[in-house]
Coordinates of all heavy atoms in Angstrom, one line a residue:
Chain A
A75 N 0.0 105.9 104.8 CA 1.3 105.7 104.2 C 1.5 106.6 103.2 O 2.7 107.0 103.0 CB 1.3 104.2 103.9
D76 N 0.4 106.9 102.3 CA 0.7 107.6 101.1 C -0.5 108.5 100.7 O -1.4 107.8 100.0 CB 1.2 106.8 99.8 CG 1.5 107.7 98.6 OD1 1.1 108.8 98.6 OD2 2.2 107.1 97.8
G77 N -0.7 109.6 101.3 CA -1.9 110.2 101.3 C -2.3 110.6 99.8 O -3.5 110.5 99.3
T78 N -1.3 111.0 99.1 CA -1.6 111.5 97.7 C -2.2 110.2 96.9 O -3.2 110.6 96.2 CB -0.2 111.9 97.0 OG1 0.5 112.7 98.0 CG2 -0.4 112.8 95.9
A79 N -1.5 109.2 96.9 CA -2.0 108.0 96.1 C -3.3 107.7 96.6 O -4.3 107.3 95.8 CB -1.1 106.9 96.3
A80 N -3.6 107.6 97.9 CA -4.9 107.2 98.4 C -6.0 108.1 98.0 O -7.1 107.7 97.7 CB -4.9 107.1 99.9
V81 N -5.9 109.4 98.0 CA -7.0 110.3 97.7 C -7.2 110.2 96.2 O -8.3 110.5 95.6 CB -6.8 111.8 98.2 CG1 -6.7 111.7 99.7 CG2 -5.6 112.6 97.4
R82 N -6.2 110.0 95.4 CA -6.2 109.8 93.9 C -7.2 108.6 93.6 O -7.8 108.5 92.6 CB -4.9 109.7 93.3 CG -4.4 111.0 93.0 CD -3.1 111.0 92.4 NE -2.6 112.3 92.3 CZ -1.3 112.8 92.1 NH1 -0.3 111.8 92.0 NH2 -0.9 114.1 92.2
E83 N -7.2 107.6 94.5 CA -8.0 106.3 94.3 C -9.5 106.9 94.3 O -10.3 106.3 93.6 CB -7.8 105.4 95.4 CG -6.7 104.7 95.5 CD -6.6 103.7 96.6 OE1 -7.6 103.3 97.0 OE2 -5.6 103.5 97.3
L84 N -9.8 107.9 95.0 CA -11.3 108.5 95.0 C -11.4 109.7 94.0 O -12.4 110.3 94.1 CB -11.5 108.8 96.5 CG -11.4 107.9 97.6 CD1 -11.9 108.4 98.9 CD2 -12.2 106.7 97.3
G85 N -10.3 109.9 93.3 CA -10.6 110.9 92.1 C -10.1 112.3 92.5 O -10.4 113.2 91.8
Y86 N -9.5 112.4 93.7 CA -9.0 113.8 94.1 C -7.6 114.1 93.9 O -6.8 113.1 93.8 CB -9.3 114.1 95.6 CG -10.7 113.8 95.9 CD1 -11.0 112.8 97.0 CD2 -11.7 114.4 95.3 CE1 -12.4 112.5 97.3 CE2 -13.0 114.1 95.6 CZ -13.3 113.3 96.6 OH -14.7 113.0 96.9
M87 N -7.2 115.3 93.7 CA -5.8 115.7 93.6 C -5.2 115.2 92.2 O -4.0 115.0 92.1 CB -5.0 115.4 94.8 CG -5.3 116.4 95.9 SD -4.1 116.0 97.4 CE -2.7 116.8 96.8
E88 N -6.0 114.9 91.3 CA -5.5 114.5 90.0 C -4.7 115.6 89.5 O -5.1 116.7 89.4 CB -6.6 114.1 89.1 CG -7.5 112.9 89.4 CD -6.8 111.6 89.1 OE1 -5.7 111.5 88.7 OE2 -7.6 110.5 89.6
G89 N -3.4 115.3 88.8 CA -2.7 116.3 88.2 C -2.1 117.4 89.1 O -1.3 118.1 88.6
S90 N -2.3 117.3 90.4 CA -1.6 118.0 91.3 C -0.1 117.7 91.6 O 0.2 116.5 91.8 CB -2.4 118.1 92.7 OG -1.6 118.9 93.7
Y91 N 0.8 118.7 91.6 CA 2.1 118.4 91.9 C 2.4 118.2 93.5 O 3.3 117.7 93.9 CB 3.1 119.5 91.5 CG 3.0 120.7 92.0 CD1 3.7 121.1 93.2 CD2 2.0 121.6 91.6 CE1 3.5 122.3 93.9 CE2 1.9 122.9 92.3 CZ 2.6 123.2 93.4 OH 2.5 124.3 94.1
Q92 N 1.4 118.6 94.2 CA 1.7 118.6 95.6 C 1.5 117.2 96.2 O 0.8 116.3 95.8 CB 0.6 119.6 96.3 CG 0.9 121.0 96.1 CD -0.2 121.9 96.5 OE1 -1.3 121.5 96.5 NE2 0.0 123.2 96.5
R93 N 2.2 117.0 97.5 CA 2.0 115.9 98.2 C 1.1 116.1 99.4 O 1.1 117.0 100.0 CB 3.4 115.6 98.7 CG 3.6 114.4 99.7 CD 5.2 114.4 100.1 NE 5.4 113.2 101.0 CZ 5.2 113.3 102.2 NH1 5.0 114.5 102.8 NH2 5.5 112.3 103.1
L94 N 0.3 115.0 99.5 CA -0.6 115.1 100.7 C -0.2 114.1 101.9 O 0.1 113.0 101.5 CB -2.1 114.8 100.3 CG -3.0 114.8 101.4 CD1 -3.4 116.1 101.8 CD2 -4.3 114.1 101.1
R95 N -0.1 114.6 103.0 CA 0.2 113.8 104.1 C -0.9 113.9 105.0 O -1.3 114.9 105.5 CB 1.6 114.3 104.8 CG 1.8 113.7 106.2 CD 2.5 112.5 106.1 NE 2.4 111.8 107.5 CZ 3.5 111.8 108.3 NH1 4.5 112.6 108.1 NH2 3.5 111.3 109.5
V96 N -1.5 112.7 105.4 CA -2.6 112.7 106.2 C -2.1 112.3 107.6 O -1.6 111.3 107.8 CB -3.8 111.8 105.7 CG1 -4.9 111.6 106.7 CG2 -4.3 112.2 104.4
V97 N -2.6 113.0 108.6 CA -2.2 112.9 110.0 C -3.2 112.5 110.9 O -4.3 113.0 110.9 CB -1.3 114.0 110.5 CG1 0.1 114.1 109.9 CG2 -2.1 115.3 110.5
E98 N -3.0 111.4 111.6 CA -4.2 110.6 112.3 C -4.3 111.1 113.9 O -3.3 111.0 114.5 CB -4.1 109.2 112.3 CG -5.1 108.3 112.8 CD -4.9 106.9 112.8 OE1 -3.8 106.5 112.9 OE2 -6.0 106.1 112.6
N99 N -5.4 111.5 114.2 CA -5.7 111.7 115.6 C -6.0 110.5 116.3 O -6.6 109.6 115.8 CB -7.0 112.6 115.9 CG -6.6 114.0 115.4 OD1 -5.5 114.4 115.3 ND2 -7.7 114.8 115.3
T100 N -5.4 110.3 117.5 CA -5.6 109.0 118.3 C -6.1 109.4 119.7 O -6.3 110.7 119.9 CB -4.4 108.2 118.4 OG1 -3.5 108.9 119.3 CG2 -3.8 107.9 117.0
A101 N -6.3 108.5 120.6 CA -6.7 108.8 122.0 C -5.5 109.7 122.8 O -5.9 110.4 123.6 CB -6.8 107.6 122.9
D102 N -4.3 109.6 122.2 CA -3.1 110.3 123.0 C -2.6 111.5 122.0 O -1.8 112.3 122.6 CB -2.0 109.3 123.1 CG -2.3 107.9 123.6 OD1 -3.1 108.0 124.6 OD2 -1.9 107.0 123.1
T103 N -3.0 111.6 120.8 CA -2.3 112.6 120.0 C -3.5 113.4 119.2 O -4.5 112.8 118.8 CB -1.4 112.0 119.0 OG1 -2.0 111.1 118.2 CG2 -0.2 111.4 119.7
H104 N -3.4 114.7 119.1 CA -4.2 115.6 118.3 C -3.3 116.3 117.4 O -2.3 116.9 117.8 CB -5.0 116.6 119.3 CG -5.9 117.3 118.3 ND1 -7.3 116.9 118.1 CD2 -5.7 118.5 118.0 CE1 -7.8 117.8 117.4 NE2 -7.1 118.8 117.3
N105 N -3.7 116.5 116.2 CA -3.0 117.2 115.1 C -3.7 118.4 114.7 O -5.0 118.4 114.6 CB -2.8 116.3 113.9 CG -2.0 115.1 114.2 OD1 -0.7 115.2 114.5 ND2 -2.5 113.9 114.4
V106 N -3.1 119.4 114.4 CA -3.6 120.6 113.9 C -2.7 121.2 112.8 O -1.5 121.2 112.9 CB -4.0 121.6 115.0 CG1 -2.8 122.1 115.8 CG2 -4.7 122.9 114.6
I107 N -3.3 121.8 111.8 CA -2.6 122.3 110.6 C -2.7 123.8 110.6 O -3.6 124.5 110.9 CB -3.4 121.8 109.3 CG1 -3.7 120.3 109.3 CG2 -2.5 122.1 108.1 CD1 -2.5 119.4 109.6
V108 N -1.4 124.3 110.0 CA -1.3 125.7 110.0 C -0.3 126.0 108.8 O 0.4 125.0 108.3 CB -0.8 126.4 111.2 CG1 0.7 126.0 111.5 CG2 -0.8 127.9 111.2
C109 N -0.3 127.1 108.2 CA 1.0 127.5 107.3 C 1.3 128.9 108.0 O 0.7 130.0 107.8 CB 0.4 127.8 105.9 SG 1.8 128.4 104.9
T110 N 2.4 128.9 108.7 CA 2.9 130.2 109.3 C 3.4 131.2 108.4 O 3.4 132.4 108.7 CB 3.9 129.9 110.4 OG1 5.0 129.3 109.8 CG2 3.3 129.1 111.6
L111 N 3.9 130.7 107.2 CA 4.6 131.7 106.3 C 3.6 132.4 105.4 O 3.6 133.6 105.0 CB 5.5 130.9 105.4 CG 6.9 130.5 106.2 CD1 7.8 130.0 105.3 CD2 7.4 131.5 107.1
C112 N 2.4 131.7 105.0 CA 1.4 132.4 104.2 C 0.1 131.6 104.4 O -0.5 131.8 105.6 CB 1.8 132.3 102.7 SG 2.4 130.7 102.2
S113 N -0.5 130.9 103.5 CA -1.8 130.1 103.7 C -1.9 129.0 103.1 O -2.9 128.6 102.4 CB -3.0 131.3 103.4 OG -2.7 131.6 102.0
C114 N -0.7 128.1 102.9 CA -0.9 126.9 102.2 C -1.9 126.0 102.9 O -2.2 126.0 104.1 CB 0.5 126.2 102.4 SG 1.8 127.1 101.5
Y115 N -2.6 125.2 102.0 CA -3.9 124.7 102.5 C -4.3 123.7 101.4 O -4.2 123.9 100.3 CB -5.0 125.8 102.6 CG -6.3 125.4 103.2 CD1 -6.4 125.3 104.6 CD2 -7.5 125.2 102.5 CE1 -7.6 125.0 105.2 CE2 -8.6 125.0 103.0 CZ -8.8 124.9 104.4 OH -10.0 124.7 105.0
P116 N -4.8 122.5 101.8 CA -5.2 121.5 100.8 C -6.5 121.8 100.2 O -7.6 121.1 100.4 CB -5.2 120.2 101.6 CG -5.6 120.5 103.0 CD -5.0 122.0 103.2
L117 N -6.5 122.9 99.3 CA -7.7 123.3 98.7 C -8.7 122.4 97.9 O -9.8 122.4 98.1 CB -7.2 124.5 97.7 CG -8.3 125.3 97.0 CD1 -8.7 126.4 97.8 CD2 -7.7 125.8 95.6
R118 N -7.9 121.4 97.4 CA -8.9 120.5 96.5 C -9.7 119.6 97.4 O -10.7 119.1 96.9 CB -7.9 119.6 95.6 CG -7.3 120.4 94.5 CD -6.0 119.7 94.0 NE -5.3 120.4 93.1 CZ -5.3 120.3 91.7 NH1 -6.1 119.3 91.2 NH2 -4.5 121.0 90.9
L119 N -9.1 119.4 98.5 CA -9.8 118.5 99.6 C -10.7 119.3 100.6 O -11.6 118.7 101.2 CB -8.8 117.6 100.2 CG -8.2 116.5 99.5 CD1 -7.0 116.0 100.1 CD2 -9.2 115.5 99.1
L120 N -10.5 120.5 100.8 CA -11.1 121.3 101.8 C -11.8 122.6 101.3 O -12.5 123.3 102.0 CB -10.1 121.7 102.9 CG -9.8 120.7 104.1 CD1 -9.2 119.4 103.6 CD2 -9.0 121.3 105.3
G121 N -11.6 122.8 100.1 CA -12.2 124.0 99.6 C -11.4 125.2 99.8 O -10.4 125.1 100.5
P122 N -11.9 126.4 99.5 CA -11.2 127.6 99.9 C -11.1 127.7 101.4 O -11.9 127.4 102.1 CB -12.2 128.8 99.4 CG -12.9 128.1 98.3 CD -13.1 126.7 98.6
S123 N -9.9 128.3 101.9 CA -9.6 128.2 103.3 C -10.5 129.5 104.1 O -10.8 130.3 103.4 CB -8.2 128.6 103.6 OG -7.7 129.7 103.0
P124 N -10.8 129.1 105.3 CA -11.6 130.1 106.0 C -10.6 131.3 106.3 O -9.4 131.2 106.4 CB -11.9 129.5 107.4 CG -11.0 128.3 107.4 CD -10.7 127.9 106.0

Side-chain angles (χ1 to χ4, degrees):
Chain A
D76 184 345
T78 321
V81 301
R82 280 185 183 155
E83 286 180 37
L84 301 185
Y86 305 125
M87 288 182 76
E88 298 282 1
S90 171
Y91 66 92
Q92 286 165 345
R93 172 180 180 269
L94 180 74
R95 169 86 189 265
V96 176
V97 290
E98 184 184 35
N99 288 347
T100 67
D102 314 312
T103 59
H104 182 85
N105 298 285
V106 58
I107 310 303
V108 66
C109 173
T110 59
L111 295 185
C112 44
S113 54
C114 298
Y115 189 76
L117 183 83
R118 290 158 190 261
L119 291 163
L120 271 67
S123 57

